[in-house]
Amino acid sequence: MASFVPDKVFDCHAHLWRGDAYAAPLPPGFPADMNSDDYLRLTGEVFPNRTLGAWFLPKPVVKRRDQALRVSEWVGESLAGKPTCRGAFLVKPEDDPEWVREHARRLGLRGLKCYHTFSLRKPTLNAEIPEYLPEAVMQVAHEEGWYVTLHMVKDRAVADPGNQHWIRTYCERYPDMKLILAHSARGFQPSHNFEGLPKLADLPNLYFDSSANCEPMAHVAIMRIFGHDRFMFGTDFGAASHSHGRHCSVADTFFWVYDDAPVWEERHTTIKPVSIVLEHLRSVKWACWAERLTDRQIEDVFWGNAARLFEL
């Protein structure tokens, strides 16, 4: 895939974290405290000899809710001397909006990262968007001109009427906020994208990162409905990018299969799965091929679209 990847790569979904707050396994060789220099070193191994930039998101998997601010501070500290990088503030539903504004400004952060695990609803995978991304902070994002990365949940993702309602409400009510739907609108089952995205196609402040989605048709749906200039490459850097395996769409849902699953030895030969970031990159290549993107348009997907959005 070396001939496909342009000279400049902006990762629109890259996580940083502190080891004393992080509450999940790490890939082998990853430092406990992941800062921007570590990210650039490890990502440079995947994309050698490329100019790199990133939208840094605080890793939302924290041991305690009160550690969220410290992880945001870690992201802010990691931006020093990184002109091609931007950072987000990790927001919880109970946070006071003015407190969020104050600390995000103090840290030089330009947007918000939310996550469903902070919702009080159980299971959190059924949460409505305002239960983990309250409307009050969207008003602040609008006033500040911030970017908001949203990993929506619920079984049918963007095909779910509740998700569609809140995405439309936030985008129309807060037009100076830019909403980025993570994981190609969480289209791990691409049929959800083809069903749901046409109902949102008129929203000018809606964008997408491709992160960790290994289904080419999920990306095709976005580019065909919104155009390639709303679609930005992302890795979901961390365990999601460097674990070996991939997700697979099936029926009206999907499942993840990792290298410790027994399926790899059930055929006529032993399969050695590769890292998810490579499976994902191949899906982006196929989507760009399917949509007949020019070299310049592919450069937009990997750099130009993000450079314009984030004002690099």
Side-chain angles (χ1 to χ4, degrees), residues 31-250:
D33 295 331
M34 180 66 67
N35 61 26
S36 56
D37 290 329
D38 294 316
Y39 164 84
L40 292 170
R41 172 177 57 83
L42 290 162
T43 303
E45 295 174 0
V46 181
F47 303 104
N49 304 313
R50 267 65 173 184
T51 297
L52 299 175
W55 172 230
F56 287 129
L57 307 174
K59 189 67 177 176
V61 184
V62 294
K63 295 176 182 177
R64 303 190 315 270
R65 297 172 79 93
D66 62 359
Q67 293 174 318
L69 176 59
R70 185 65 193 100
V71 180
S72 296
E73 291 174 333
W74 179 254
V75 171
E77 294 165 5
S78 293
L79 291 176
K82 302 294 187 298
T84 61
C85 297
R86 300 288 186 268
F89 186 90
L90 182 57
V91 64
K92 307 186 301 301
E94 66 267 26
D95 288 343
D96 177 81
E98 291 306 318
W99 178 88
V100 171
R101 189 200 309 264
E102 173 190 349
H103 286 284
R105 283 180 172 179
R106 172 177 67 86
L107 298 170
L109 302 177
R110 300 281 299 276
L112 304 175
K113 168 61 179 170
C114 60
Y115 204 54
H116 66 91
T117 54
F118 291 119
S119 169
L120 297 180
R121 180 190 291 258
K122 303 300 179 187
T124 64
L125 284 170
N126 292 332
E128 296 284 356
I129 290 172
E131 294 175 340
Y132 55 100
L133 181 61
E135 184 167 357
V137 297
M138 299 302 278
Q139 175 70 41
V140 173
H142 163 73
E143 293 169 357
E144 297 288 334
W146 282 349
Y147 317 97
V148 180
T149 293
L150 170 64
H151 175 166
M152 77 183 90
V153 288
K154 304 178 76 173
D155 289 346
R156 305 193 73 246
V158 76
D160 181 89
N163 283 339
Q164 293 173 16
H165 166 77
W166 286 110
I167 290 168
R168 174 168 294 282
T169 297
Y170 282 174
C171 285
E172 290 182 340
R173 197 168 289 171
Y174 307 107
D176 291 336
M177 174 276 309
K178 293 85 173 177
L179 185 63
I180 304 169
L181 299 185
H183 314 302
S184 283
R186 194 178 171 265
F188 298 128
Q189 169 50 261
S191 67
H192 298 158
N193 279 8
F194 283 102
E195 179 181 343
L197 289 179
K199 299 173 183 178
L200 303 171
D202 60 322
L203 299 174
N205 53 339
L206 187 60
Y207 297 82
F208 306 85
D209 76 51
S210 67
S211 58
N213 194 317
C214 302
E215 292 283 357
M217 294 307 292
H219 315 317
V220 167
I222 293 167
M223 289 190 278
R224 192 162 299 186
I225 294 167
F226 284 83
H228 85 282
D229 55 343
R230 303 280 194 92
F231 179 68
M232 299 175 289
F233 177 75
T235 64
D236 201 358
F237 175 81
S241 63
H242 281 63
S243 297
H244 286 205
R246 60 163 294 157
H247 69 85
C248 303
S249 61
V250 61

Side-chain angles (χ1 to χ4, degrees), residues 4-6 8-14 39 43 46-47 52-55 184 208-213 219 228 230-236 276-285 288 298-306 310:
F4 167 67
V5 179
K8 300 169 76 174
V9 176
F10 187 93
D11 186 347
C12 198
H13 194 123
Y39 164 84
T43 303
V46 181
F47 303 104
L52 299 175
W55 172 230
S184 283
F208 306 85
D209 76 51
S210 67
S211 58
N213 194 317
H219 315 317
H228 85 282
R230 303 280 194 92
F231 179 68
M232 299 175 289
F233 177 75
T235 64
D236 201 358
I276 292 170
V277 68
L278 293 180
E279 288 281 5
H280 165 65
L281 182 62
R282 183 162 55 183
S283 76
V284 174
K285 178 178 180 177
C288 291
I298 293 171
E299 290 170 355
D300 283 344
V301 167
F302 279 87
W303 185 274
N305 294 339
F310 292 100

